[in-house]
Amino acid sequence: MKSFVPGPDSERDLRTAFGAFATGVTVVTTHSEIGPLGIVANSFSSVSLDPALVLWCVAKSSRRYGAFANAKHFAIHVIAADQKALVDRFARSGHDFEGVDWSLGQNDTPLLNTCAARFECDTYAIHEAGDHDIILGKITSAACVDCDGLVFSRGAFQTP
C-alpha cells in the first residue's frame, strides 16, 4: 500500500485512492435561465429518512456551477446500467435534451423519464467544501424501477 500526504504533488495518487470506491452515476437537472440544464455527478448520497434528504456535490470550476448553486429545485436521476450514452451526452453539454425522453416535473424541473431512480428535490442547504459545494436536497417526490444502476470505479464505467 502506497502512503502519501494529500497535496498538489500527490493529486493523481489521491484520485487513484478515491477511485477504489465504486460509485453510482447520476444526472442532476434543473431549470435555468436559458432552459433545462443537466450535469453528471457521482458524488451523490442519501443523508436522512426524516426529513428525506440527499446530497450531491458540484465543482465550483464547472460552467454549470452558478445555475445549480442558485437553483431552488432540482432532480437527481440515478442512471441505469445501459444508459452510458446519456451520461456522455450530459458530460459534453448540459443543454442537450434533444432526443432525450424527458418532461417537466414539479416547479418546472426537467425530469428524465427513463432511469433507475429519480428524486425531485427542493434545495435544503448548500455548504462550501473546498473546490466543490455540497448541495443538500429535501426530497419532494421519488420514483424507481427494478434495474441495476451504472457504476464508476477505477476511472471507468462498470456494469454490475
Side-chain angles (χ1 to χ4, degrees):
M1 183 171 288
K2 179 181 178 181
S3 295
F4 59 92
V5 176
D9 294 335
S10 63
E11 186 174 304
R12 178 73 268 170
D13 293 327
L14 187 58
R15 284 180 174 273
T16 299
F18 286 154
F21 183 71
T23 66
V25 183
T26 68
V27 171
V28 183
T29 58
T30 193
H31 179 76
S32 74
E33 292 178 358
I34 58 172
L37 182 66
I39 191 170
V40 176
N42 68 341
S43 55
F44 163 75
S45 182
S46 59
V47 175
S48 171
L49 293 175
D50 186 18
L53 299 175
V54 293
L55 71 76
W56 71 285
C57 300
V58 61
K60 292 177 183 177
S61 62
S62 171
R63 293 178 309 214
R64 302 171 215 172
Y65 167 80
F68 284 98
N70 294 309
K72 295 188 182 327
H73 314 281
F74 59 89
I76 299 173
H77 306 83
V78 177
I79 301 305
D82 63 353
Q83 292 183 302
K84 183 180 176 304
L86 190 62
V87 174
D88 293 341
R89 170 190 293 256
F90 284 105
R92 281 189 308 271
S93 172
H95 293 287
D96 188 7
F97 282 74
E98 187 175 331
V100 174
D101 182 13
W102 70 282
S103 59
L104 290 176
Q106 301 173 23
N107 303 299
D108 291 331
T109 302
L111 303 179
L112 306 180
N113 292 325
T114 57
C115 56
R118 179 177 64 214
F119 305 92
E120 289 184 75
C121 301
D122 293 338
T123 299
Y124 186 78
I126 298 177
H127 300 283
E128 287 193 44
D131 58 2
H132 282 66
D133 275 356
I134 301 167
I135 300 178
L136 284 161
K138 184 173 183 181
I139 301 169
T140 59
S141 178
C144 65
V145 297
D146 186 18
C147 72
D148 291 328
L150 186 61
V151 176
F152 192 77
S153 178
R154 298 276 183 204
F157 292 100
Q158 313 286 328
T159 52

